[in-house]
Amino acid sequence: MLSIDPKEIPTAKLHGYLLGAVAPRPIAFASTIDAEGNSNLSPFSFFNVFSANPPIMIFSPARRVKNNTTKHTLENAIATKEVVINVVNYDIVQQMSLSSTEYAEGVNEFEKAGLTMLASDKVKPFRVAESPVQFECKVNEVVSLGNEGGAGNLIICEVVKLHINEDILNENGTIDHYKIDLVARAGGSFYSRARDGFFEIPKPIATLGIGVDQIPANIRTSNILTGNDLGILGNVEQLPSSEEIQEFKNTTEITISELPETNHKLAQEFLAKGDVKTAWKILLVK
């Protein structure tokens, strides 16, 4: 394994490792205005939501590594204490990327990217009309993390109003992850289209899984079953009873082998289909 002391490599190289490893990251498409009222629009992937009550989001315009200058978004947020955070979906990802061009101060990235300026209700910066969700925010605090190139600046924002395109809602009135079609940032020039990679994992909140440590050793040390397989197996509340296993043995049409490895492969197939109960019975039958 490559082990690195951050202080012993150039900042640009460290930046690449950080962005490549901590990914994909959501994108804050931040709209601000300067003291003269000029609009600015720029994306930032050092971003997330950190609280619901109060509703707090934080994004970080880092100082430029190459020349240690600051970005207009940071300067505007400090000056006016307001920002609109627009989410980025696949329909506007190319325009979002174009807006990240380092245009001169005063140039309107809305116009350069061909995006529509939509007036906000509670703050002065404009919203991106094409964005499916827009958050009007007051800037509570800006925390500088350093003075050298690459240092972040945490812009701590409180959401004072949000706007949601109803087309992305499902029948329950909640956001449909497929309809919103968000994109996320990775390292270099790579992005991820979120809906193409969705999968579900039952949350172990309402239940108390037995844990991997309680899986019989001959299964836990299998050369076939992966860590993910063991995680699924350990998320059950209890193992099948001896009566259930015997009934399964007497009635199943599944061919059970005398070779543990064969049965482990078979159980793995059922795990992949989400049939954890059958997988456990295959593993425990004798």
Side-chain angles (χ1 to χ4, degrees), residues 28-271:
F29 204 9
S31 169
T32 57
I33 58 170
D34 64 18
E36 286 71 46
N38 298 306
S39 290
N40 180 269
L41 181 65
S42 187
F44 299 92
S45 67
F46 289 177
F47 163 64
N48 221 308
V49 57
F50 290 86
S51 173
N53 186 21
I56 299 293
M57 295 181 169
I58 301 176
F59 72 101
S60 177
R63 302 179 72 92
R64 295 182 180 91
V65 174
K66 60 184 178 183
N67 56 14
N68 195 23
T69 56
T70 57
K71 298 182 179 180
H72 299 144
T73 300
L74 174 62
E75 297 160 7
N76 294 348
I78 292 173
T80 68
K81 304 295 185 183
E82 294 183 340
V83 61
V84 175
I85 296 176
N86 307 274
V87 304
V88 178
N89 66 354
Y90 190 74
D91 287 344
I92 62 172
V93 65
Q94 295 290 346
Q95 290 167 286
M96 177 276 300
S97 178
L98 178 58
S99 75
S100 68
T101 302
E102 294 189 1
Y103 294 111
E105 185 175 0
V107 172
N108 188 337
E109 287 85 2
F110 278 94
E111 296 176 356
K112 287 293 186 182
L115 294 165
T116 306
M117 299 172 69
L118 183 62
S120 297
D121 293 341
K122 292 192 173 183
V123 299
K124 292 179 181 178
F126 289 87
R127 296 177 275 147
V128 175
E130 292 81 0
S131 170
V133 184
Q134 308 131 15
F135 300 94
E136 298 184 29
C137 303
K138 295 286 188 179
V139 176
N140 287 350
E141 186 179 2
V142 178
V143 180
S144 173
L145 301 180
N147 298 313
E148 301 298 324
N153 296 275
L154 305 183
I155 300 181
I156 303 173
C157 308
E158 182 170 348
V159 179
V160 294
K161 195 163 189 179
L162 63 155
H163 307 267
I164 304 173
N165 186 326
E166 292 182 3
D167 290 343
I168 67 167
L169 300 178
N170 59 28
E171 62 276 7
N172 298 319
T174 58
I175 292 175
D176 186 305
H177 297 301
Y178 291 93
K179 291 179 179 178
I180 193 171
D181 199 9
L182 293 173
V183 294
R185 193 79 166 84
S189 58
F190 283 88
Y191 290 82
S192 173
R193 190 173 185 178
R195 74 178 188 185
D196 289 348
F198 283 138
F199 57 93
E200 289 189 85
I201 299 176
K203 286 188 176 182
I205 296 177
T207 60
L208 187 65
I210 63 171
V212 172
D213 61 326
Q214 296 302 307
I215 296 175
N218 64 311
I219 299 172
R220 190 174 66 247
T221 58
S222 168
N223 293 323
I224 305 298
L225 298 170
T226 67
N228 277 336
D229 294 330
L230 296 177
I232 296 171
L233 293 170
N235 197 34
V236 299
E237 292 189 88
Q238 60 184 20
L239 298 180
S241 66
S242 57
E243 291 78 13
E244 290 175 313
I245 295 171
Q246 187 61 44
E247 180 182 0
F248 171 76
K249 182 178 180 180
N250 294 336
T251 61
T252 185
E253 296 181 359
I254 298 171
T255 302
I256 304 299
S257 173
E258 294 183 0
L259 299 175
E261 294 82 2
T262 302
N263 291 336
H264 290 187
K265 289 179 181 178
L266 183 59
Q268 192 174 56
E269 293 175 6
F270 279 87
L271 289 174

